């Protein structure tokens, strides 16, 4: 039986080989050898050799939900330096006892200095590396080191990076102009011709003293609070300036990313009235028959409710509401105008009017794309705003009306 | 031939998996920029036209494989070398599919695993299934088609819910006119993946229904073309044309954008699953076609050449190119230089011969 002995040898050989495969994946890193990175801060170091200083906020899993916690900090910060981002990451491994796992980065904070020098070189690795993901949120730390943001204890979440994400979500629903900006949004922003991305700013409000220890939360008013702040406007990949107030709100409106914001208007003779703008729908159209002189028409319609009206206005009368609407419309138009004026001032179309133009008149766009910032700075804008006051919340007239 | 019969549903599912195969995850037709989805649709029309030619040949010779009727129509002396070339083509395509799959797997998740190990595991699983026979492969495909379609549906719903889709990325349609789209069609899309349907001429004698069979396969082609086109459109609308174009596996970042209240996240492992399933079937169909061809041409039992062929395919895939970039570049050039000869020129010659012969032999009185 020559054949069966051959089969037997083959069978034994296969049985010796197969266990090698069963031993598991070549690349596997066990969970107890992993350290999950929740946030990364990117600072500018000294000179070329230490161009990037990366600080990794690493979750100490035992402290977050372990039975035997040691009462230490829930996250740890490790720093690596290098010419490039990847080198800096590898460099950090000299301090970390475990493999840094980049799959769960929630937040990327870039220092203002890096942003001023240009962020396009560092964006490449974020896009190319398959472990990192595009849904990480990006921030620019205004006037501070990015690593300071990553090393501040926060009250509501043990992990500061998560706390920052939650802060962004709440403010985008209530105060308005900050909205989610993820890695791919920034990349698409950099690619805008004659424009750039808009990125949320973040600062530490308060004193740095003891911000990175538990002492920060022992007082009722924390010493230092991470705070989402103004919008960083870019031209190409360089930081041009910071947008706040009306300008920032207008910019967010033009991006159609507003969920809700408080609008405050001065009513002649009755002080201030506050509205809650709970819905805004914006549309940009363009008349681009002459590509060198396009006319943009910004159409916006909003729905609002009255939140504060401490005066003697008769809110039971529809006429009063009709008289209030134009003031609100004017307020919205002012915001949008301010945003456009600022963009023109920076000569950067970070709002993306160029794309509207490209969709409308692709051939004309090709003629102007190379000097779009100049065309943009000179082109005409028309704003057609509309606002409806839907209701006055659960009171009609203020108690001040009949004392 | 023809002892084993394979049902229509099985053929439908294997056609879908074969077409989706690697094309679902790679940046198919992105030479046309944001009109890639259109170039796939046009490509599929061209593919269907080509398939109708193959179906014609099948109807005329329902019991013969492509190699069988090549030798019958061209004669033994001319037919055998041609048949041999087809076997080499199928093995080469199988090897290329394997290289695609193993490299993309290495890029996507297994960064440190040697390519050879990945390739070996993939080809071994494929040769195991083929050891059990082609009908086993087609029945397996039924299970995996369901899985792939479920994953697709699930991802689609999640993407819509997470609000990452921005259809404005697809505008303006046909910015530079029809030419770039047609260029992409001519260079890639009618061949890959639709022209590769030539391989089904080797499997079609197994069809259980001569009349309905080609229609079922054509329907599966159309369905997969729509799925591919929708997937590419989805990639572009989530990522923007530029990022999708520069991604080796655009489906991966697209799916990774899924984030439902920071709770359902990182479902991109699904893409790796789809990739493995797709590559497995693409490779196996070519592999089985080569095996059927060899066993018919050299009159050998089907299984005897299985392991030698496994080795050939494995080494073709490894020695094919030094880098993935080189591999893709080579593939891109083969698509419009060599493959059209096999997928259009030779079949057209056969069709003409068949038509002429049946024309002269048809009016047989009585």
């Amino acid at each position: 039986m020559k054949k069966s002995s051959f089969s037997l040898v083959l069978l034994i050989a296969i049985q010796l080989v197969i266990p090698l495969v069963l031993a598991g994946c070549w690349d596997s890193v066990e969970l107890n050898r992993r350290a999950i990175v929740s946030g990364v801060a990117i600072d500018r170091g000294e000179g070329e050799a230490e161009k990037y200083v990366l600080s990794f906020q690493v979750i100490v899993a035992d402290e977050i939900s372990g039975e035997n916690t040691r009462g230490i900090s829930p996250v740890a910060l490790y720093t690596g330096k290098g010419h490039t981002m990847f080198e800096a990451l590898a460099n950090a491994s000299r301090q970390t006892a475990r493999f840094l796992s980049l799959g769960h980065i929630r937040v990327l904070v870039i220092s203002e200095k890096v942003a001023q020098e240009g962020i396009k070189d560092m964006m490449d690795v974020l896009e190319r590396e398959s472990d990192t993901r595009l849904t990480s949120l990006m921030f620019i730390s205004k006037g501070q080191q990015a690593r300071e943001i990553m090393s501040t204890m926060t009250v509501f979440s043990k992990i500061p990076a998560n706390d920052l994400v939650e802060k962004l979500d709440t403010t985008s629903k209530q105060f308005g102009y900050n909205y989610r900006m993820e890695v791919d949004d920034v990349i698409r922003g950099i690619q805008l011709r004659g424009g750039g991305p808009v990125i949320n700013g973040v600062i530490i409000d308060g004193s740095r003293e003891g911000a990175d220890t538990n002492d920060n939360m022992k007082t009722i008013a924390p010493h230092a609070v991470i705070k989402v702040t103004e919008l960083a406007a870019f031209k190409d990949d360089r930081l041009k300036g910071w947008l706040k107030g009306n300008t920032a709100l207008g910019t967010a409106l033009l991006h159609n990313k507003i969920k809700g914001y408080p609008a405050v208007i001065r009513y002649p003779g009755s002080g201030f009235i506050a509205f809650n703008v709970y819905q805004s729908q914006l549309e940009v159209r363009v008349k681009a028959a002459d590509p060198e002189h396009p006319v943009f028409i910004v159409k916006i319609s909003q729905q609002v409710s009255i939140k504060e009206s401490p005066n003697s206005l008769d809110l039971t009368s529809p006429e009063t509401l009709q008289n209030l609407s134009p003031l609100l419309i004017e307020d919205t138009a002012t915001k949008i105008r301010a945003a456009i004026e600022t963009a023109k001032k920076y000569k950067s179309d970070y709002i993306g009017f160029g794309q509207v133009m490209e969709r409308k008149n692709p051939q004309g766009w090709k003629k102007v794309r190379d000097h779009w910032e100049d065309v943009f700075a000179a082109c005409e804008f028309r704003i057609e705003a509309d606002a409806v006051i839907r209701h006055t919340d659960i009171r009609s007239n203020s108690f001040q009306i009949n004392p | 031939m023809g002892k084993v019969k394979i049902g229509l549903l099985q053929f439908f599912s294997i056609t879908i998996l074969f077409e989706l195969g690697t094309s679902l995850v790679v940046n198919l037709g992105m030479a046309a920029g944001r009109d890639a989805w259109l170039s796939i649709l046009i490509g599929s029309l061209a593919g269907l036209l080509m398939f109708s030619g193959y179906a014609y040949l099948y109807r005329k010779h329902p019991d013969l494989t492509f190699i069988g009727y090549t030798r019958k129509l061209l004669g033994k002396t001319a037919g055998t070398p041609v048949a041999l070339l087809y076997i080499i083509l199928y093995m080469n395509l199988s090897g290329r599919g394997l290289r695609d799959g193993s490299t993309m797997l290495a890029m996507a998740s297994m960064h440190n695993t040697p390519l050879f190990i990945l390739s070996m595991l993939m080809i071994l699983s494929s040769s195991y299934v083929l050891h059990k026979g082609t009908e086993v492969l087609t029945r397996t495909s039924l299970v995996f088609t369901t899985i792939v379609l479920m994953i697709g549906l699930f991802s689609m719903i999640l993407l819509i819910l997470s609000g990452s889709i921005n259809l404005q990325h697809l505008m303006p349609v046909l910015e530079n006119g029809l030419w770039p789209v047609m260029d992409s069609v001519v260079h890639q899309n009618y061949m890959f993946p639709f022209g590769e349907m030539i391989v089904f001429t080797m499997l079609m004698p197994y069809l259980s229904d001569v009349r309905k069979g080609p229609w079922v396969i054509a329907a599966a082609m159309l369905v997969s073309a729509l799925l591919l086109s929708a997937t590419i459109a989805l990639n572009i609308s989530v990522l923007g044309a530029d990022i999708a174009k520069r991604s080796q596996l655009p489906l991966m970042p697209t799916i990774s954008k899924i984030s439902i209240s920071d709770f359902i996240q990182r479902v991109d492992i699904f893409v790796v699953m789809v990739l493995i399933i797709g590559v497995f079937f693409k490779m196996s169909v070519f592999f089985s076609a080569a095996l059927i061809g060899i066993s018919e041409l050299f009159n050998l039992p089907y299984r005897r050449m299985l392991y030698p062929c496994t080795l050939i395919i494995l080494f073709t895939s490894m020695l094919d190119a030094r880098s993935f970039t080189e591999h893709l570049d080579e593939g891109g050039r083969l698509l419009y230089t060599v493959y059209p000869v096999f997928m259009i020129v030779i079949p057209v010659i056969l069709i003409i011969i068949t038509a002429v012969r049946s024309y002269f032999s048809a009016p047989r009185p009585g």
Side-chain angles (χ1 to χ4, degrees):
Chain A
M1 296 307 275
K2 197 179 161 206
K3 201 186 169 195
S4 72
S5 67
F6 174 72
S7 310
L8 197 68
V9 170
L10 198 70
L11 200 68
I12 291 168
I14 286 173
Q15 281 184 337
L16 286 175
V17 170
I18 294 280
L20 290 178
V21 181
L22 290 178
C25 308
W26 206 285
D27 283 87
S28 77
V29 177
E30 295 298 330
L31 217 51
N32 60 7
R33 293 286 297 131
R34 274 183 192 277
I36 290 171
V37 178
S38 57
V40 180
I42 300 152
D43 283 302
R44 179 71 167 92
E46 295 299 319
E48 274 300 298
E50 294 182 352
K51 187 171 180 196
Y52 294 109
V53 180
L54 263 63
S55 306
F56 298 92
Q57 188 185 88
V58 180
I59 299 173
V60 184
D62 281 345
E63 283 307 308
I64 303 292
S65 62
E67 281 181 2
N68 36 5
T69 55
R70 289 183 288 170
I72 57 170
S73 163
V75 292
L77 199 73
Y78 295 107
T79 303
K81 297 170 180 173
H83 287 98
T84 63
M85 298 271 287
F86 187 69
E87 189 190 355
L89 162 68
N91 190 294
S93 69
R94 293 196 292 189
Q95 304 156 42
T96 54
R98 297 180 175 190
F99 291 101
L100 294 181
S101 186
L102 302 179
H104 296 271
I105 297 174
R106 302 287 302 273
V107 164
L108 289 155
V109 184
I110 302 167
S111 79
E112 192 172 1
K113 204 166 167 208
V114 175
Q116 276 160 354
E117 285 184 22
I119 57 171
K120 66 169 178 251
D121 292 352
M122 50 149 285
M123 294 304 293
D124 187 73
V125 73
L126 299 179
E127 193 194 26
R128 193 181 297 275
E129 169 66 47
S130 67
D131 279 351
T132 61
R133 52 178 178 172
L134 296 178
T135 44
S136 308
L137 294 172
M138 297 199 64
F139 291 89
I140 306 286
S141 72
K142 192 184 178 220
Q144 287 163 332
Q145 290 270 309
R147 56 170 293 138
E148 290 179 12
I149 314 280
M150 286 284 103
S151 56
T152 303
M153 282 284 195
T154 49
V155 177
F156 278 102
S157 179
K158 283 184 181 172
I159 303 161
N162 282 0
D163 197 79
L164 183 52
V165 174
E166 283 159 18
K167 277 171 181 161
L168 179 66
D169 281 346
T170 42
T171 185
S172 79
K173 287 197 176 99
Q174 289 196 331
F175 190 64
Y177 59 71
N178 298 97
Y179 55 93
R180 289 180 78 94
M181 291 151 198
E182 302 179 350
V183 174
D184 58 333
D185 294 322
V186 173
I187 289 169
R188 279 194 293 271
I190 293 175
Q191 288 180 319
L192 281 181
R193 280 278 171 174
V198 180
I199 307 180
N200 291 309
V202 59
I203 54 168
I204 299 287
D205 210 10
S207 75
R208 279 295 306 161
E209 191 88 16
D212 54 353
T213 68
N214 264 339
D215 294 345
N216 194 28
M217 292 110 62
K218 280 189 177 146
T219 50
I220 289 181
H223 296 304
V225 178
I226 300 180
K227 189 173 147 191
V228 181
T229 178
E230 300 156 23
L231 297 178
F234 282 67
K235 170 72 187 287
D236 298 325
D237 65 325
R238 281 162 206 267
L239 179 68
K240 274 287 186 180
W242 294 89
L243 315 175
K244 60 181 173 186
N246 275 354
T247 314
L249 257 171
T251 309
L253 277 172
L254 283 164
H255 276 111
N256 220 345
K257 288 287 167 77
I258 285 276
K259 290 195 180 115
Y261 69 94
V264 181
I265 60 164
R266 178 190 277 278
Y267 191 74
S270 319
F272 289 99
I273 302 175
F275 299 89
N276 176 29
V277 181
Y278 61 88
Q279 198 181 45
S280 321
Q281 211 29 264
L282 183 130
E283 190 191 1
V284 182
R285 289 188 195 150
V286 61
K287 284 182 187 159
D290 175 10
E292 295 287 344
H293 303 98
V295 179
F296 287 97
I297 300 149
V298 179
K299 280 190 77 146
I300 179 164
S301 63
Q302 295 180 308
Q303 297 193 16
V304 307
S305 63
I306 294 180
K307 283 288 176 187
E308 236 178 322
S309 175
N311 48 43
S312 54
L313 281 176
D314 178 15
L315 292 180
T316 53
S317 146
E319 274 170 37
T320 320
L321 296 188
Q322 269 167 23
N323 293 336
L324 283 174
S325 302
L327 295 171
L328 199 66
I329 289 167
E330 186 45 43
D331 178 66
T332 308
T334 312
K335 287 184 167 105
I336 291 175
R337 219 172 286 126
I340 295 171
E341 287 311 318
T342 313
K344 282 183 171 177
K345 194 182 83 198
Y346 290 135
K347 278 200 147 193
S348 170
D349 176 24
Y350 48 75
I351 295 162
F353 287 112
Q355 286 188 314
V356 181
M357 170 100 169
E358 188 185 1
R359 284 196 281 271
K360 178 79 178 177
N361 183 355
Q363 300 312 319
W365 167 249
K366 286 213 182 69
K367 287 180 201 136
V368 296
R369 55 189 287 181
D370 291 328
H371 58 284
W372 175 246
E373 49 267 62
D374 300 323
V375 177
F376 167 69
C379 65
E380 190 190 334
F381 289 89
R382 289 185 202 144
I383 298 161
E384 295 173 7
D386 187 22
V388 189
I389 303 170
R390 287 284 183 219
H391 61 85
T392 61
D393 249 2
I394 59 171
R395 285 293 178 277
S396 55
N397 282 336
S398 168
F399 66 89
Q400 296 182 10
I401 203 165
N402 37 5
Chain B
M1 280 285 87
K3 237 184 0 194
V4 184
K5 287 291 178 195
I6 297 170
L8 294 178
L9 196 59
Q10 277 83 346
F11 251 96
F12 187 80
S13 65
I14 191 125
T15 311
I16 284 191
L17 274 188
F18 176 79
E19 291 285 344
L20 296 185
T22 42
S23 7
L24 194 64
V25 284
V26 301
N27 49 4
L28 187 67
M30 283 309 290
R34 55 170 86 80
D35 298 324
W37 59 278
L38 208 58
S39 75
I40 290 167
L41 287 183
I42 298 174
S44 79
L45 292 182
L48 279 171
L49 192 70
M50 281 151 69
F51 180 74
S52 66
Y54 309 151
Y56 172 79
L57 285 173
Y58 165 67
R59 283 275 177 83
K60 291 288 174 190
H61 317 278
D63 293 326
L64 292 177
T65 63
F66 188 81
I67 283 176
Y69 51 74
T70 303
R71 294 214 295 168
K72 187 175 150 198
L73 294 173
L74 297 180
K76 281 254 157 70
T77 34
T80 309
V82 172
L84 210 57
L85 282 177
Y86 270 93
I87 290 168
I88 294 170
L89 173 80
Y90 294 146
M91 294 223 280
N92 180 265
L93 280 169
S94 183
R96 293 193 62 81
L98 180 58
R99 178 63 179 260
D100 276 337
S102 55
T103 315
M104 285 194 279
L105 212 54
M107 289 192 304
S109 64
M110 302 173 193
H111 305 284
N112 301 321
T113 314
L115 216 51
F116 186 76
I117 302 290
L118 289 174
S119 309
M120 194 179 68
L121 290 176
M122 290 170 91
I123 193 75
L124 274 182
S125 58
S126 171
S127 61
Y128 173 72
V129 170
L130 289 180
H131 181 82
K132 299 287 169 207
T134 310
E135 69 279 13
V136 175
L137 180 73
T138 53
R139 268 187 273 127
T140 320
S141 77
L142 204 55
V143 178
F144 283 106
T145 307
T146 326
I147 294 176
V148 167
L149 292 182
M150 294 285 272
I151 289 176
L153 194 69
F154 179 69
S155 313
M156 187 77 183
I157 292 172
L158 288 185
L159 267 177
I160 292 170
L161 289 181
S162 62
S164 314
I165 298 177
N166 181 359
L167 289 177
Q168 289 202 324
H169 288 310
L170 289 168
M171 308 288 275
V173 180
L174 293 180
E175 178 188 6
N176 299 318
L178 203 58
W179 177 241
V181 177
M182 291 316 284
D183 192 57
S184 164
V185 171
V186 168
H187 278 88
Q188 184 186 37
N189 295 117
Y190 77 112
M191 269 305 152
F192 179 76
F194 304 106
E196 292 176 340
M197 287 304 290
I198 181 94
V199 72
F200 274 71
T201 51
M202 300 298 290
L203 302 181
M204 279 198 289
Y206 291 121
L207 262 173
S208 61
D209 190 330
V210 180
R211 217 167 43 78
K212 284 189 197 148
W215 288 107
V216 167
I217 296 176
M221 279 176 77
L222 201 62
V223 169
S224 45
L226 292 176
L227 286 175
L228 279 176
S229 176
T231 310
I232 298 294
L234 194 71
N235 289 340
I236 296 169
S237 61
V238 171
L239 298 173
D242 185 74
I243 298 182
K245 193 172 180 174
R246 287 182 295 109
S247 300
Q248 311 268 25
L249 314 132
L251 195 59
M252 192 117 154
T254 304
I255 298 294
S256 77
K257 283 291 282 181
I258 289 176
S259 170
I260 308 249
S261 333
D262 296 325
F263 172 61
I264 301 175
Q265 288 180 329
R266 299 239 61 164
V267 289
D268 37 347
I269 202 68
F270 281 144
V271 178
V272 177
M273 259 171 82
V274 170
L275 172 71
I276 294 173
I277 294 171
V279 168
F280 173 80
F281 280 97
K282 189 135 208 165
M283 183 173 77
S284 302
V285 170
F286 283 127
F287 192 178
S288 75
L291 281 177
I292 293 168
I294 288 173
S295 78
E296 192 183 333
L297 197 61
F298 300 107
N299 241 333
L300 285 169
Y302 169 83
R303 279 177 195 158
R304 184 165 305 163
M305 286 309 285
L306 183 69
Y307 292 104
C309 279
T310 309
L311 277 182
I312 292 172
I313 290 172
L314 180 58
F315 283 95
T316 320
S317 91
M318 290 306 298
L319 302 175
D320 166 68
R322 285 175 70 82
S323 65
F324 193 53
T325 313
E326 197 184 319
H327 170 82
L328 287 182
D329 176 66
E330 204 178 271
R333 271 182 288 118
L334 285 176
L335 273 180
Y336 63 94
T337 49
V338 178
Y339 296 165
V341 176
F342 288 98
M343 290 158 195
I344 298 176
V345 177
I346 295 175
V348 163
I349 295 172
L350 295 181
I351 289 168
I352 292 170
I353 296 175
T354 313
V356 168
R357 275 198 182 180
S358 62
Y359 179 78
F360 283 114
S361 62
R364 198 178 292 158

